[in-house]
Amino acid sequence: MAQPRVTDRPSFTQRDAYRDVLSRGYAEGRLDDEEFEARLTRMGRCETLKGLEAQISGLPRGGLPVPQGARVAPGEAGRGPRRVRWGRVFTAAAAVGIVGGVLAGNGGTLLPSSSGDDAGEIPESAGESEEDPVLDRAAVLRGLEALSEESTEVSDVSLYPGYASAQVAVGGNRYDDLLLYDGREPESSPGGTYEPGTRDALVFDVHQLDPELVARMVESAPEVYEETTGMAGVAPESVWARVDSSGSRYVGVDMSRPLIEVRMAANDYGEGGGSVVWSADGGALVKVGE
């Protein structure tokens, strides 16, 4: 049987297997009641294996197969209970005070400018390590450049080391799943349909994602995360861009535009693993933590 991919839509059996991993982690004391319920609820909304993988982050997976394209942190099977959770939400004004001088103002945004003659250039060796792939500036620029060449109207955009994915809006309420691996031809397959009446709210122009700005978010995320939560040693592992349709509102944030979530891998002790979320223009730090 072919190895599943992170972009595959899960079967009932696969969903049950991921719920079993989550329930086992809860029973072992690795999750408290609130986090268990939150992850379980998010599992019910996941449309791909990629989403289900995010919900078991930090938990021993047992014999659950690892989908192609998924990143499993070293030593995951031996992690003990997570003792710290972070879920702080900040307005833009509060965030500036908390992170202090970490993010210097630039044209009204919370992100630093790139500097130097090589700004924007992609190092030839970036993203080529198979032993420890990291999401860096080069991977972000490559992924968004490839995506902009293939499609315009998208939703649920993700960037990983070595590949990018997106839901591409097609006719009516339908969308296709687009997968872009470095050095390979694009792969497109029928995805699914948007819920009635949600297409216009969820779909955005891919050019709203400024590659340089997203790259600076990725570069700044570890320091912002550490300054806010006190958790060191975490690193960016992916970016998720989507329009938040939950009805949430944040001061100074245009909620009709996509939020940019930089997801952080846990450190060597299994701690952390949350995210840093910015507005599309970089002007507001919406959330830090899980």
Side-chain angles (χ1 to χ4, degrees):
M1 181 178 297
Q3 181 185 9
R5 300 185 304 181
V6 291
T7 53
D8 289 347
R9 298 176 67 85
S11 65
F12 290 123
T13 301
Q14 288 172 318
R15 285 186 182 277
D16 287 342
Y18 278 88
R19 291 191 186 101
D20 287 345
V21 171
L22 189 65
S23 297
R24 187 165 57 248
Y26 174 62
E28 293 172 350
R30 300 174 189 275
L31 303 171
D32 62 19
D33 294 349
E34 181 181 353
E35 185 170 1
F36 171 70
E37 291 295 337
R39 291 196 185 199
L40 189 61
T41 298
R42 291 196 294 266
M43 270 191 174
R45 298 197 295 263
C46 292
E47 296 187 355
T48 63
L49 291 178
K50 177 183 65 180
L52 294 177
E53 282 289 316
Q55 304 316 315
I56 64 168
S57 174
L59 299 176
R61 62 191 304 124
L64 183 66
V66 179
Q68 181 181 348
R71 182 183 181 189
V72 178
E76 185 174 77
R79 288 180 181 164
R82 292 177 60 189
R83 302 182 182 277
V84 186
R85 290 190 309 108
W86 307 96
R88 307 173 185 175
V89 178
F90 308 97
T91 63
V96 173
I98 291 172
V99 301
V102 174
L103 298 181
N106 176 49
T109 72
L110 298 176
L111 293 162
S113 298
S114 298
S115 59
D117 295 336
D118 60 348
E121 293 183 2
I122 301 176
E124 294 181 0
S125 60
E128 293 180 358
S129 171
E130 295 183 359
E131 294 183 357
D132 187 22
V134 294
L135 185 71
D136 55 13
R137 163 178 292 272
V140 171
L141 297 181
R142 282 198 303 268
L144 289 180
E145 179 182 4
L147 183 59
S148 65
E149 292 176 353
E150 294 295 327
S151 59
T152 300
E153 292 190 319
V154 298
S155 59
D156 197 29
V157 171
S158 293
L159 304 174
Y160 289 85
Y163 75 96
S165 67
Q167 294 174 345
V168 178
V170 288
N173 285 332
R174 295 184 299 109
Y175 63 83
D176 289 342
D177 288 326
L178 177 65
L179 189 60
L180 300 166
Y181 281 104
D182 287 350
R184 288 168 50 178
E185 290 296 317
E187 299 180 18
S188 181
S189 60
T193 58
Y194 297 107
E195 292 292 330
T198 64
R199 181 192 185 282
D200 290 343
L202 297 176
V203 174
F204 59 91
D205 189 324
V206 70
H207 296 101
Q208 291 187 26
L209 304 178
D210 182 330
E212 284 291 339
L213 190 59
V214 176
R216 294 204 298 276
M217 292 176 184
V218 169
E219 292 174 330
S220 304
E223 195 167 1
V224 174
Y225 188 87
E226 180 178 353
E227 285 287 330
T228 307
T229 68
M231 195 72 64
V234 297
E237 64 177 356
S238 65
V239 168
W240 184 27
R242 89 290 184 200
V243 177
D244 186 344
S245 60
S246 66
S248 300
R249 294 291 181 269
Y250 302 100
V251 175
V253 178
D254 182 355
M255 298 302 291
S256 67
R257 300 186 64 189
L259 296 178
I260 314 299
E261 178 176 348
V262 181
R263 293 176 171 175
M264 315 297 292
N267 62 21
D268 291 340
Y269 301 97
E271 299 169 325
S275 61
V276 180
V277 184
W278 275 281
S279 59
D281 62 1
L285 186 59
V286 175
K287 178 180 177 181
V288 180
E290 188 168 355

